[in-house]
């Protein structure tokens, strides 16, 4: 009895401490939640003094660290960016070591991108470790006689992508690549319909060709296509490598190439840090998205394929060129095996090997290993496993683009993190072509959408490292949303960083809550679409995608729930709309249903793959008939097996309802049912909902939360925790929540009573205003920097001064406020609404800060700062770089205050800055446009 009481006491104490920690870390997020950045050292230019300064500034603004990225600037029409130091040369390595030491001193994390540009490779990559392809030379011959032909070596490849540099293929004096290996010589009959009736008709002639390429063969009658297939370097250089750092990409399928490449970095950096990474800021080596082109190969593929699949691939090689071998079904099965082989080879040879190599030295290996796939990139992998095997996975999302889904590789990365028991869901964040255009409040809805997909750590794309000698805003990489110390608003960016960190911290807690596990099949390549575009997403019922690896090795059924060993669970398994399945997968699904799982999906009719497929098809049909019965998806929609059920042909919402699987969040007013996006996580102590609205105006939305306990609002913008009125009905807590336009916040439902200092939740206090006074007096305006001094009077009720439109930096507005009586102060809370602001504001009353606003509305709380009589009011507003850049473009070089390699706006490709403003692009708002009003809200 006493032991039981002690256990309960310890559990309660643990839950209490967990709740206290949640509040504290929400207000002041820990390092692991803070945003990081891809730190571009453009063209190999760097400066140690500036490195230290930028690290110190990042620490001050509550960032968590950087990934060092040597990269070409991409856009530099005037050739302004100097050629820097070779990546990983002695001077560059010394700068990296300096960075790690300084970051260690400051308590920041550092990663290193393992190439100049991307993906993985460098000057040091030797031919035997470089990217390989399969290349062919062919001849058509007539058979029925002895054939003596010379088969030339396959020709060297040409560039296949517009932004590629020339191929880098080292050759000997005869033009033969330094690494060269003949794969095979094969002959196969030519037919009008490109069909090879029997794989035995594909003849291996490898032993009939000598070292000079001379082939001697007694050919059977008919027309024959003879192919000499060879493996050698594709010559693909790093994409966007700096001028001093061009080099070859590695062979990602070759574990030796991966190990050699990673050890190059480790062997150069580790000794300079005293022989150990322990206690140092360097946490991982990182590689960007996989963008290798061509028909890829590795020298031992034929042997490895035979070992994995149990048959020889040579007779089926014509299928890789579009021929039908035996029949379409046989060809399809071979292609299935071959694609699976490529996926397994790159996962084992690069991603898993990378983790293994780095782990020996106490650091991690991180990669963007989730796509996107075709038609954007030639990614051969099954993306859940390729992401899941990493130290932690990383995806990407774009900001403001119409060319591709902006969240194409977040949901898959989040699923991989959830099912492989990883804590972090990272993403290269706000990738774009808009450079300096975006305000912080314009970035927030994009971030919020990514958070609802599962993101929980921001990696800014990009933060340009800008040596002082390069001026301001400095030379930059031509893509990305620019986050840097040279931004006019940088010194007021800490609240924005805190917002992203608070959201990330909360979404790193506990386990993801989803009702549906979606098995996305066992073919490769395979990727996961964004949540809203996925057939597994049902409003109120989120999902994780799961793969064959997890299904076979980790999923089990406990008390009717489909569970993973680390506590993640689901209530339903959804199968892909396909009629084929691996035998071992169907065996596992049968066992899960027998153990009590609810499964929804079509009845498989055949197995996958070529080896023993006739026997495997029989097994599939036999098991499917047992599990699905006579279900055809039209008449019979459910079958029971053991303790579970299997459905097909019945609407998924009906199945959920029939099994009492309730939505985790509902909108009780159908008018707003499509206006809400959310994600839910749960710990032992609380349920955590992050909710955003797509409404473009203030909206009160009635929500129903599938939780039990006391709900509180956690506002990530302010860091405040406030009360939330609610009612309890059945399984739900009902709340009416007021959202600002495209606003968001957390609702945390406490499962046990925990004392939290709270106040009533008010999303925008000025909506409760009983009295408003417009500040009409002229403001003294100072455009505050040494290069462009100006002080003038401005009346916000008329127009902005022309000089303000051409200024980038901090604008200081000053005036006086008269408070006629003490009663106005004691009876009211007083706020100031600055109206239209471009783009960040900080208000001061009597030289005391009333806080920074980076997000609309630009409302500052002046309560407690005002006194009776005259009060000084100062408002500092920071704007964008584009204002000064556009105006400078029309001035001689010696009259300009800005310096950059970008000559076009609003992005690096659109309009020459000398032609702006024009019909496509207007100068953005700069400064404070008002109207400015004081609001009195009774206490």
């Amino acid at each position: 009895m006493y032991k039981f009481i002690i256990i309960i006491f310890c559990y309660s104490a643990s839950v209490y401490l967990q709740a206290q920690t949640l509040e504290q870390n929400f207000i002041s997020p820990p390092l692991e939640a803070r945003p990081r950045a891809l730190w571009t050292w453009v063209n190999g230019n760097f400066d140690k003094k500036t490195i230290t300064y930028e690290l110190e500034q990042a620490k001050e603004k509550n960032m968590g660290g950087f990934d060092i990225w040597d990269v070409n600037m991409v856009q530099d029409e005037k050739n302004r960016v100097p050629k820097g130091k070779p990546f990983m040369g002695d001077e560059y390595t010394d700068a990296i070591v300096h960075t790690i030491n300084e970051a260690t001193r400051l308590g920041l994390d550092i990663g290193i991108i393992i190439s100049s540009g991307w993906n993985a490779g460098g000057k040091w990559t030797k031919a035997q470790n470089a990217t390989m392809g399969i290349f062919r030379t062919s001849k058509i011959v007539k058979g029925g006689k002895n054939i003596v032909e010379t088969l030339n070596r396959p020709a060297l490849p040409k560039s296949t992508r517009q932004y590629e540099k020339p191929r880098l293929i080292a050759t000997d004096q005869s033009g033969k690549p330094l690494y060269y290996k003949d794969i095979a010589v094969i002959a196969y009959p030519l037919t009008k319909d490109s069909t090879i009736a029997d794989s035995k008709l594909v003849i291996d002639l490898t032993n009939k060709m000598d070292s000079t390429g001379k082939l001697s063969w007694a050919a059977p009658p008919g027309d024959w296509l003879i192919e000499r297939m060879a493996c050698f370097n594709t010559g693909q250089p790093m994409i966007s490598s700096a001028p001093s750092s061009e080099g070859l990409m590695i062979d990602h399928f070759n574990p030796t190439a991966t190990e050699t490449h990673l050890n190059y970095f480790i062997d150069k950096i580790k000794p300079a840090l005293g022989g150990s990474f322990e206690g140092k800021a360097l946490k991982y080596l990182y590689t960007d998205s996989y963008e290798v082109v061509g028909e890829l190969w590795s020298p031992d593929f034929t042997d490895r394929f035979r070992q994995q699949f149990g048959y020889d691939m040579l007779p089926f090689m014509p299928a890789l060129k579009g021929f039908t071998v035996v029949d379409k079904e046989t060809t399809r099965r071979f292609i299935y095996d071959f694609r699976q082989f490529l996926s397994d080879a790159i996962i084992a040879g690069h991603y898993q090997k990378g983790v293994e190599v780095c782990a020996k030295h106490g650091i991690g290996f991180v990669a963007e290993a989730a796509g996107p796939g075709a038609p954007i990139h030639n990614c051969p992998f099954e993306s859940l496993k390729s992401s899941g095997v990493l130290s932690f996975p990383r995806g990407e999302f774009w900001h403001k683009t119409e060319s591709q889904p902006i969240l194409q590789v977040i949901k898959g990365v989040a699923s991989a993190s959830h099912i492989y028991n990883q804590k972090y869901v990272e993403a290269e964040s706000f990738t774009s072509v808009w450079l300096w255009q975006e305000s912080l409040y314009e970035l927030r809805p994009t971030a919020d959408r990514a958070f609802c997909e599962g993101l929980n750590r921001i990696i800014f794309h990009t933060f340009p490292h800008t040596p002082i000698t390069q001026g301001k805003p400095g030379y930059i990489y031509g893509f990305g949303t620019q986050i840097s110390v040279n931004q006019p608003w940088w010194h007021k960016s800490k609240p924005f960083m805190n917002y992203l960190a608070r959201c990330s911290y909360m979404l790193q807690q506990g386990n993801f809550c989803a009702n549906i596990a979606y098995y996305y099949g066992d073919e490769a390549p395979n990727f996961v679409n964004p949540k809203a575009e996925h057939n597994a997403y049902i409003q109120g019922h989120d999902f994780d995608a799961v793969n064959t690896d997890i299904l076979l090795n980790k999923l089990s059924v406990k008390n009717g729930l489909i569970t993973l060993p680390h506590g993640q669970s689901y209530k339903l398994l959804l199968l892909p709309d396909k009629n084929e399945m691996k035998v071992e997968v169907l065996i596992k699904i049968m066992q899960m249903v027998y153990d009590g799982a609810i499964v929804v999906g079509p009845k498989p009719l055949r197995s996958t793959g070529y080896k023993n497929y006739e026997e495997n098809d029989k097994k599939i049909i036999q098991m499917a008939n047992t599990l699905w019965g006579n279900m055809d998806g039209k008449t019979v929609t459910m079958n029971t097996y053991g303790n579970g059920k299997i459905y097909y042909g019945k609407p998924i919402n009906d199945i959920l309802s029939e099994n009492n699987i309730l939505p985790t969040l509902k909108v009780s007013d159908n008018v707003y049912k499509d206006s809400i996006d959310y994600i839910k996580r749960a710990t032992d102590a609380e349920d955590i909902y992050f909710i955003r609205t797509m409404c473009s105006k203030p909206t009160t939305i009635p929500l129903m939360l599938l939780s039990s306990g006391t709900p509180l609002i956690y506002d990530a913008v302010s860091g405040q925790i406030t009360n939330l009125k609610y009612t309890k009905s059945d399984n739900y807590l009902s709340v009416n929540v007021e959202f600002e336009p495209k606003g968001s916040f957390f609702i945390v439902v406490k499962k046990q009573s925990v004392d939290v200092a709270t106040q009533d939740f008010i999303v925008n206090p000025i909506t409760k205003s009983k009295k408003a006074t417009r500040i009409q007096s002229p403001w003294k305006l100072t455009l505050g920097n040494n290069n462009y001094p100006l002080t003038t009077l401005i009346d916000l009720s008329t127009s902005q001064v022309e000089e303000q439109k051409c200024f980038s930096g901090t604008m200081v507005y000053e005036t006086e406020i008269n408070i006629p009586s003490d009663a106005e102060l004691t009876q009211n809370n007083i706020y100031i609404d600055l109206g239209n602001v471009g783009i960040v504001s900080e208000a001061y009353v009597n030289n005391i800060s009333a806080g920074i606003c980076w997000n609309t509305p630009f409302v500052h709380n002046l309560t407690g700062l005002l006194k009776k009589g005259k009060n000084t009011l100062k408002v500092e507003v920071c704007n964008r770089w584009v204002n000064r850049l556009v105006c400078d473009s029309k001035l001689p070089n010696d009259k300009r205050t800005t310096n950059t390699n970008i000559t076009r706006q609003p992005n690096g490709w659109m309009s020459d800055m000398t032609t702006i403003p024009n019909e496509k692009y207007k100068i953005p708002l700069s400064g404070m446009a008002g109207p400015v009003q004081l609001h009195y809200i009774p206490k």
Side-chain angles (χ1 to χ4, degrees):
M1 178 65 180
Y2 293 112
K3 183 177 180 181
F4 177 74
I5 293 173
I6 291 172
I7 291 172
I8 294 297
F9 174 79
C10 291
Y11 174 78
S12 299
S14 173
V15 169
Y16 175 80
L17 291 174
Q18 183 177 329
Q20 292 295 96
T21 301
L22 186 80
E23 274 80 61
Q24 294 164 4
N25 286 344
F26 171 74
I27 295 167
S28 182
L31 175 70
E32 61 192 12
R34 297 175 192 168
R36 291 105 196 281
L38 301 180
W39 197 14
T40 51
W41 295 11
V42 178
N43 264 23
N45 290 286
F46 53 83
D47 171 71
K48 284 186 179 181
K49 184 176 180 180
T50 310
I51 286 170
T52 295
Y53 171 70
E54 290 176 353
L55 287 167
E56 290 174 342
Q57 283 292 300
K59 173 73 173 182
E60 182 182 299
K61 299 302 181 293
N62 276 358
M63 288 184 65
F66 290 111
D67 289 353
I68 299 170
W69 187 17
D70 186 77
V71 68
N72 182 280
M73 83 299 292
V74 179
Q75 289 292 98
D76 188 14
E77 291 180 308
K78 304 294 185 181
N79 295 316
R80 293 174 175 171
V81 184
K83 185 177 180 179
K85 305 298 182 184
F87 182 54
M88 296 309 295
D90 290 344
E91 290 181 76
Y92 210 116
T93 302
D94 181 62
I96 290 175
V97 171
H98 169 80
T99 299
I100 294 169
N101 285 331
E102 288 292 82
T104 302
R105 173 178 66 86
L106 294 166
L108 297 173
D109 290 346
I110 294 294
I112 301 172
I113 295 178
I114 54 174
S115 62
S116 177
W118 69 95
N119 176 264
K123 282 181 174 291
W124 51 88
T125 304
K126 298 185 183 302
Q128 66 267 26
N129 289 329
T131 301
M132 305 279 184
I134 180 172
F135 301 98
R136 299 174 175 88
T137 187
S138 62
K139 282 190 175 183
I140 297 173
V141 300
K142 279 197 171 293
K145 59 183 178 180
N146 289 327
I147 302 294
V148 179
E149 292 282 350
T150 297
L151 301 175
N152 295 327
R153 287 193 309 268
L156 300 182
K158 298 179 180 179
S159 293
T160 58
R161 292 175 69 165
Q162 183 177 2
Y163 60 80
E164 272 193 21
K165 300 171 184 176
R167 298 278 183 168
L168 305 175
I169 304 178
T171 62
D172 60 20
Q173 291 181 346
S174 70
K176 181 179 180 180
L178 290 186
Y179 182 88
Y180 179 93
K181 180 181 179 181
D182 277 307
I183 300 170
V185 178
I186 61 173
Y188 45 97
L190 285 178
T191 60
K192 291 182 179 180
D193 62 354
S194 298
T195 297
I196 301 167
D198 188 338
S199 62
K200 294 178 182 178
L201 295 176
V202 179
I203 302 172
D204 185 357
L205 304 178
T206 306
N207 294 330
K208 299 185 180 299
M209 185 185 74
D210 66 18
S211 61
T212 68
K214 181 180 178 181
L215 175 73
S216 300
W217 173 44
D223 294 334
W224 295 85
L225 179 63
I226 302 174
E227 277 194 338
R228 179 181 180 180
M229 296 178 291
C231 173
F232 54 86
N233 297 139
T234 68
Q236 182 173 352
M238 306 307 304
I239 300 171
S240 291
S241 59
S244 300
S245 304
E246 292 179 350
L248 289 167
M249 288 192 185
I250 67 168
D251 177 1
H252 294 73
F253 301 97
N254 181 352
T256 300
T258 296
E259 184 168 13
T260 301
H261 183 64
L262 294 177
N263 281 336
Y264 183 84
F265 288 81
I266 292 166
D267 291 345
K268 294 204 73 171
I269 297 170
K270 191 174 180 181
L273 292 172
S276 174
F277 294 133
E278 186 176 356
K280 300 294 184 180
L282 181 64
K283 302 303 180 186
Y284 52 82
L285 301 180
Y286 164 69
T287 185
D288 206 339
S289 55
Y290 184 83
E291 299 180 26
V292 186
V293 298
E295 188 178 3
L296 303 175
W297 200 261
S298 203
D300 59 353
F301 266 12
T302 52
D303 292 337
R304 287 163 65 181
F305 185 92
R306 187 182 301 107
Q307 292 171 5
Q308 181 171 347
F309 291 97
Y311 67 94
D312 187 1
M313 70 186 299
L314 282 179
F316 298 90
M317 292 294 282
L320 301 180
K321 287 194 65 180
F323 282 84
T324 299
V325 180
V326 181
D327 53 36
K328 289 183 179 179
E329 179 68 8
T330 300
T331 302
R332 186 192 64 81
R333 288 177 179 273
F334 165 72
I335 293 296
Y336 170 91
D337 286 346
F338 183 72
R339 289 175 176 170
Q340 185 67 62
F341 171 74
L342 289 180
S343 177
D344 292 345
I346 195 171
I347 290 171
H350 189 58
Y351 299 119
Q352 282 182 321
K353 189 65 176 181
V355 172
E356 174 190 319
V357 172
C358 289
K360 292 178 181 177
H361 301 275
I363 57 175
F365 183 68
V366 180
E368 286 186 33
I376 299 173
H377 298 314
N378 179 37
C379 298
F381 38 71
E382 183 263 283
S383 62
L384 289 176
K385 188 172 183 180
S386 59
S387 295
V389 300
L390 297 163
S391 300
F392 48 85
R394 184 178 292 183
E396 68 175 283
F397 68 89
W398 285 62
H399 174 71
K400 202 166 79 173
T401 177
E402 298 177 358
S403 62
Q404 57 183 323
I406 63 172
L407 300 176
Q408 192 162 6
V409 282
I410 297 295
K411 186 61 176 176
V413 173
S415 291
S417 181
H418 300 158
I419 64 180
Y420 280 93
N421 194 23
Q422 300 280 20
K423 182 174 184 177
Y424 305 119
V425 181
E426 289 191 340
E428 169 194 307
S429 304
F430 308 113
T431 309
S432 75
V433 294
W434 299 103
L435 307 175
W436 301 287
Q437 299 297 320
E438 304 305 293
S439 68
L440 301 181
Y441 57 80
E442 289 171 316
L443 298 178
R444 181 185 174 186
T446 304
D448 287 350
R449 183 179 172 190
F451 287 137
C452 286
E453 295 281 315
L455 180 74
N456 65 23
R457 191 151 76 182
I458 293 284
I459 313 293
F460 291 123
H461 184 293
T462 58
F463 190 115
H465 167 60
T466 307
I468 295 171
T469 55
Q470 295 179 359
K472 293 184 179 182
Y475 303 142
I476 66 167
Y477 173 56
F479 285 89
T481 299
Q482 303 302 303
I483 308 290
S484 83
V485 297
N486 282 341
Q487 278 283 16
W489 43 258
W490 170 257
H491 60 291
K492 298 188 187 297
S493 64
K494 188 173 182 178
F496 174 66
M497 302 297 178
N498 284 341
Y499 173 78
L500 297 176
R502 288 181 183 126
C503 291
S504 297
Y505 170 74
M506 297 293 282
L507 295 173
Q508 290 172 5
Q509 305 311 301
N511 280 322
F512 170 60
C513 295
N515 286 333
I516 297 171
Y518 171 67
Y519 173 56
Y520 83 156
D522 46 29
E523 75 271 22
N526 208 350
F527 306 94
V528 181
N529 288 333
K531 180 169 67 174
E533 301 169 23
H534 204 290
N535 65 331
Y537 179 65
I538 298 153
Q539 192 175 53
H541 304 269
D542 213 333
F543 75 96
D544 267 333
V546 300
N547 59 1
T548 301
D549 177 37
I550 291 296
L551 187 141
L552 292 179
N553 300 312
K554 296 294 184 180
L555 286 183
S556 63
V557 180
K558 296 179 181 178
N559 300 320
L561 294 178
I562 299 163
T563 65
L564 287 163
H566 56 279
Q568 189 77 41
S569 67
Y570 313 92
K571 296 180 179 178
L572 178 149
L573 177 66
L574 180 64
L575 305 180
D577 192 16
K578 297 181 183 296
N579 60 8
E580 61 185 10
M581 189 175 288
K582 284 184 177 179
V583 170
E584 56 266 38
V585 168
L586 185 49
I587 291 172
K588 180 62 179 283
I589 290 172
M590 285 188 72
Q591 183 63 54
M592 292 174 65
V593 175
Y594 186 85
D595 291 341
I598 299 169
V599 177
V600 179
K603 184 178 183 178
L605 305 177
R606 63 190 180 193
S607 64
T608 59
Y610 174 71
K611 182 73 177 295
N612 298 328
Y613 75 87
E614 293 178 338
E615 179 184 345
N616 289 335
D617 282 356
K618 292 177 182 178
K619 292 178 181 178
I620 288 289
I621 292 171
Q622 181 182 7
M623 288 188 290
N625 286 337
T626 300
L627 187 55
W628 275 265
N630 63 343
M631 189 185 304
D632 58 10
K634 297 178 182 178
T635 55
V636 180
T637 58
M638 191 272 284
N639 197 35
T640 59
Y641 180 71
N643 297 310
K645 305 173 187 176
I646 189 152
Y647 291 84
Y648 184 60
K650 191 171 188 176
I652 186 70
N653 278 313
D654 291 350
I655 297 170
L656 292 166
S657 177
E658 181 178 314
N659 290 279
N660 198 33
I661 300 175
L662 302 175
T664 54
L665 181 145
K666 295 194 295 185
V667 181
S668 57
D669 187 338
N670 283 335
V671 172
Y672 300 111
K673 66 182 178 67
D674 296 323
S675 302
I676 286 294
D677 189 14
Y678 80 100
I679 188 170
K680 179 183 178 182
R681 296 185 70 90
T683 71
D684 291 339
E686 56 263 315
D687 289 341
I688 300 171
Y689 296 83
F690 178 73
I691 308 168
R692 73 178 182 103
T693 178
M694 289 79 87
C695 295
S696 57
K697 60 182 181 180
T699 309
T700 298
I701 301 178
L703 302 175
M704 299 174 68
L705 313 175
L706 186 63
S707 294
S708 180
T710 304
L712 300 169
I713 290 282
Y714 282 51
D715 180 9
V717 174
S718 66
Q720 292 182 336
I721 301 171
T722 59
N723 289 317
L724 181 60
K725 294 179 181 178
Y726 69 97
T727 58
K728 177 74 176 175
S729 59
D730 297 328
N731 298 294
Y732 287 92
L733 300 175
S734 296
V735 296
N736 288 319
V737 184
E738 181 184 355
F739 288 89
E740 279 299 290
K742 296 184 179 179
S744 63
F745 42 72
F746 289 88
I747 298 179
V748 176
V749 180
K750 298 292 184 180
K751 298 177 183 178
Q752 291 190 355
S753 178
V754 177
D755 292 332
V756 178
T758 64
Q759 58 188 24
D760 288 334
F761 172 64
I762 301 174
V763 65
N764 184 0
I766 65 172
T767 60
K768 311 297 182 183
S769 176
K770 298 299 183 183
K771 173 185 174 184
T773 303
R774 186 164 179 172
I775 298 178
Q776 305 258 10
S777 58
W779 297 72
K780 183 176 79 170
L781 170 63
T782 302
L783 302 183
N785 66 39
N786 294 329
N787 294 325
Y788 196 85
L790 172 71
T791 299
T792 188
L793 293 179
I794 181 173
D795 186 349
L796 298 182
S797 64
T798 56
S799 64
Q800 301 281 49
V801 292
E802 190 65 28
E803 290 88 345
Q804 184 172 321
K805 295 179 181 178
C806 283
F807 176 77
S808 294
T810 301
M811 287 147 279
V812 182
Y813 302 81
E814 296 175 273
T815 190
E816 290 184 342
I817 302 174
N818 184 52
I819 304 296
S821 69
D822 288 331
E824 288 196 333
L825 300 176
T826 58
Q827 296 175 9
N828 298 285
N829 292 314
I830 302 178
Y831 292 81
I832 188 168
D833 179 5
L834 301 180
N836 200 3
V837 171
I839 58 175
V840 178
S841 67
E842 184 169 12
Y844 297 82
V845 175
N846 302 321
N847 294 319
I848 299 174
S849 175
I852 294 170
C853 281
W854 60 270
N855 189 67
T856 58
F858 289 89
V859 174
H860 297 266
N861 187 355
L862 308 187
T863 306
L865 301 179
L866 293 164
K867 62 183 180 179
K868 178 183 174 182
K870 290 184 178 180
N871 295 263
T872 61
L873 173 64
K874 179 172 70 173
V875 178
E876 295 180 353
V877 177
C878 306
N879 67 341
R880 303 167 172 90
W881 268 120
V882 292
N883 299 77
R884 188 64 214 163
L885 287 169
V886 168
C887 291
D888 270 3
S889 70
K890 301 171 178 63
L891 298 176
N893 286 340
D894 61 347
K895 300 294 184 182
R896 298 179 182 181
T897 61
T898 58
N899 190 33
T900 181
N901 51 301
I902 302 296
T903 59
R904 297 178 181 272
Q905 289 294 314
N907 58 49
W909 286 265
M910 190 173 287
S911 300
D912 191 301
M913 280 193 279
T914 60
T915 69
I916 294 173
N918 56 40
E919 291 183 358
K920 291 184 178 180
Y921 180 69
K922 309 301 180 185
I923 298 294
L925 171 66
S926 176
M928 185 169 67
V932 180
Q933 292 182 305
L934 284 181
H935 289 270
Y936 296 80
I937 302 167
K939 291 183 178 179

